[in-house]
Amino acid sequence: MDKQLQRDLTKWLKSQSKLAKRWLLLSVGLGFMSGLLLVGQAALLASILHQLIIEHVDKYSLINQFVGLFIIIGLRALCSWGREIFGYRCGEQIRLHIRQLILNRLQSLGPAYIKGKPAGTWASLVLEQVEEMQDFFARYLPQMSLSVLIPVVILFAVFPLNWAAGLIFLLTAPLVPLFMALVGLGAADANRRNFKALQRLSGHFYDRLQGLSTLRLFDRAEAEAENLHAASHVLRKRTMEVLRLAFLSSAVLEFFSAISVAIVAVYFGFAFIGELNFGNYGIPISLFTGLFILVLAPEFYQPLRDLGTFYHAKAQAIGAAESIVEFLNIEADEMTDGSKALANPEKIQISVTDLEVLSPEGQKLAGPLTFDINANEHVALVGPSGAGKTSLLNALLGFLPYHGSIKVNGIELKELNHSEWRQAISWVGQNPLLVHGTIYDNITLGNPLAEQAQVTQVAKEAYADEFINRLEKGYQHHVGDRSGGLSVGQAQRIAVARAMLQQGAFWILDEPTASLDANSERLVLESLDRAVQQHTTLMVSHRLDQLHAMDRVLVMENGKLVQNGAFTEISQYGLLADMLSHTDKRDLDA
């Protein structure tokens, strides 16, 4: 990673800290107060020992000083506790903000873009990489200020007593951050490589876990296990590289801090035996002065050592920020969300003119397309695989950018409030996706305020009640991720009930019976036929025997609309006729 990129990422990270400035200032303020109390603690301790050892004062006469010492120790403990709390709050608030930025960006890019990368990659980006920024905001940033403020306070306390000791502090202090920077030059790079390896392993593992049944059936489980082992070995190697740099940094800091404290101790040792006679402004060095400065000596370097300890947090944050900033700044066309309300949402009419559907990267996926879908009209969309049907649906749903015009009830889709537009859509796809929860939760996904009677009614109309009532817990039966525990046909009937309950005026059916057996297909089609009555409907289907029931058929090929008309009119020629002839031939062969 080049230095300019590191500086840019550090600048971006620091700019995010403005969101939690209050917590940051409180953390620094308590740390500074702890530094002031530290000077008082050292003064009291040195005074007590000086009076007991040199002046032979009765220890009972020092009770007030002992009480003051314990009070200061308690106050410092409270300051440390407060620093931890406020630092954590600072990091928490910023992490929530950054995670929200990522989620907002994912939402703006849409499902079509998200599917381009493994789910594990997104999980790593949103979870692990954002979490790795906690210590940067909670510890490193406050410590940057304290590593300057506390040594300055100690210098102000030491110089009036002994300028030689203060000069030693002043000259040796830069050694700690200097060697910290030298050791940490490659830390950001190491962390960046570590996060890249983690993303690859997360994505690889999650995808293979989902396809474990397929891998076993094709006897590829052992081969994929070897691939996972190789990916995990790369991650282990990158992690050990990060740890090696962290331990090396700590060892260097401890070494130079110990050397600096030792120099101060040697100076006072020779001064006490009369070998050195400078730095004390002509006044004999007392035990109080020596103890006071020697107690403060390690504490003078402690903020710098802590900064070095937290330096790996900065490297981790920079490594994590690279992928996050790269994602947030990615040049991709977004489907803009307008603010206009949908006019007359009970009846949907769509007009498409010179439409070109684009990928988030700006690549043309389909078009130009021009057609209309009238209110309450039932339209079928057919074509060979790769014709652009799914791209067209994604554009209508507001998931892909486009050029040209898509007007819904006379309003351009880009100008519509997308949340309101999607509330008017009832969608049933070919792969029913049920979320983690109960059957009741899944049916009410699009209408959480629905009453039990409404849920029961739509389940009955979708023929889902016949198997729900056989389950031990009925509507409270728990459904695992990706419809776990239910057959595909049962999951699809729940998806139909969910679409019914949403009560949308525009139904989009994307191969709703593609994965169903004959009985489930019959039940789903019957329920859909009733549900779409008096509603505008667009159905994508490979089942050409269902087209005669549609008002109109749109035929796509290579991203273009090649036929548009009633089934009886266009089934005698062109691509639709070829598709029908191939279908008839397959039926005869069967």
Side-chain angles (χ1 to χ4, degrees), residues 390-547:
T390 301
S391 298
L392 174 58
L393 290 187
N394 280 325
L396 292 174
L397 291 168
F399 293 152
L400 281 177
Y402 65 87
H403 292 159
S405 175
I406 301 177
K407 288 187 176 180
V408 181
N409 291 354
I411 303 174
E412 187 63 38
L413 181 58
K414 292 178 181 178
E415 300 175 1
L416 272 177
N417 181 298
H418 285 185
S419 295
E420 188 174 331
W421 162 231
R422 288 168 190 149
Q423 282 297 316
I425 298 173
S426 286
W427 177 81
V428 181
Q430 55 183 304
N431 297 310
L433 178 62
L434 303 187
V435 297
H436 192 81
T438 64
I439 289 178
Y440 186 89
D441 294 334
N442 276 277
I443 294 178
T444 59
L445 186 66
N447 189 0
L449 300 179
E451 298 178 356
Q452 178 68 52
Q454 294 175 287
V455 175
T456 305
Q457 180 64 29
V458 295
K460 184 177 180 180
E461 293 176 2
Y463 297 104
D465 63 326
E466 65 177 32
F467 71 85
I468 293 176
N469 293 331
R470 293 198 302 267
L471 298 172
E472 182 180 353
K473 296 183 179 179
Y475 287 89
Q476 297 305 314
H477 177 79
H478 189 79
V479 179
D481 292 332
R482 296 187 173 272
S483 312
L486 297 176
S487 70
V488 177
Q490 291 171 335
Q492 189 66 301
R493 278 181 266 176
I494 291 176
V496 172
R498 178 169 61 195
M500 289 179 176
L501 191 63
Q502 190 170 354
Q503 299 176 345
F506 180 40
W507 281 70
I508 295 182
L509 310 177
D510 184 10
E511 303 276 2
T513 62
S515 305
L516 303 183
D517 59 79
N519 182 56
S520 295
E521 180 182 21
R522 178 181 60 80
L523 294 176
V524 168
L525 286 176
E526 285 182 11
S527 60
L528 286 174
D529 284 341
R530 288 197 301 271
V532 301
Q533 294 299 322
Q534 305 303 316
H535 291 307
T536 307
T537 305
L538 178 62
M539 182 178 76
V540 177
S541 178
H542 281 109
R543 292 294 305 270
L544 302 183
D545 57 336
Q546 301 171 356
L547 300 183

Side-chain angles (χ1 to χ4, degrees), residues 234-277:
V234 172
L235 177 62
R236 182 168 58 249
K237 182 179 178 182
R238 302 301 185 207
T239 304
M240 293 307 297
E241 183 181 356
V242 172
L243 291 175
R244 184 171 64 251
L245 285 170
F247 284 126
L248 178 60
S249 175
S250 298
V252 169
L253 296 178
E254 292 294 333
F255 174 76
F256 282 100
S257 298
I259 290 293
S260 302
V261 173
I263 293 173
V264 176
V266 168
Y267 163 74
F268 277 107
F270 279 101
F272 277 126
I273 62 175
E275 295 297 327
L276 294 177
N277 190 23

Side-chain angles (χ1 to χ4, degrees), residues 105-179:
R105 183 65 169 154
L106 284 172
Q107 184 177 359
S108 66
L109 290 173
Y113 181 86
I114 294 171
K115 288 181 179 179
K117 289 187 179 181
T121 299
W122 301 121
S124 174
L125 187 71
V126 175
L127 297 176
E128 285 96 341
Q129 292 186 230
V130 175
E131 288 298 319
E132 289 296 341
M133 296 182 174
Q134 171 68 23
D135 281 350
F136 175 81
F137 297 109
R139 299 178 183 273
Y140 180 78
L141 280 185
Q143 195 61 39
M144 280 186 67
S145 299
L146 294 175
S147 63
V148 175
L149 293 174
I150 293 180
V152 168
V153 169
I154 292 176
L155 285 176
F156 272 108
V158 168
F159 263 110
L161 296 176
N162 191 287
W163 62 264
L167 195 60
I168 293 173
F169 288 162
L170 199 58
L171 292 176
T172 56
L175 292 175
V176 176
L178 173 64
F179 282 93

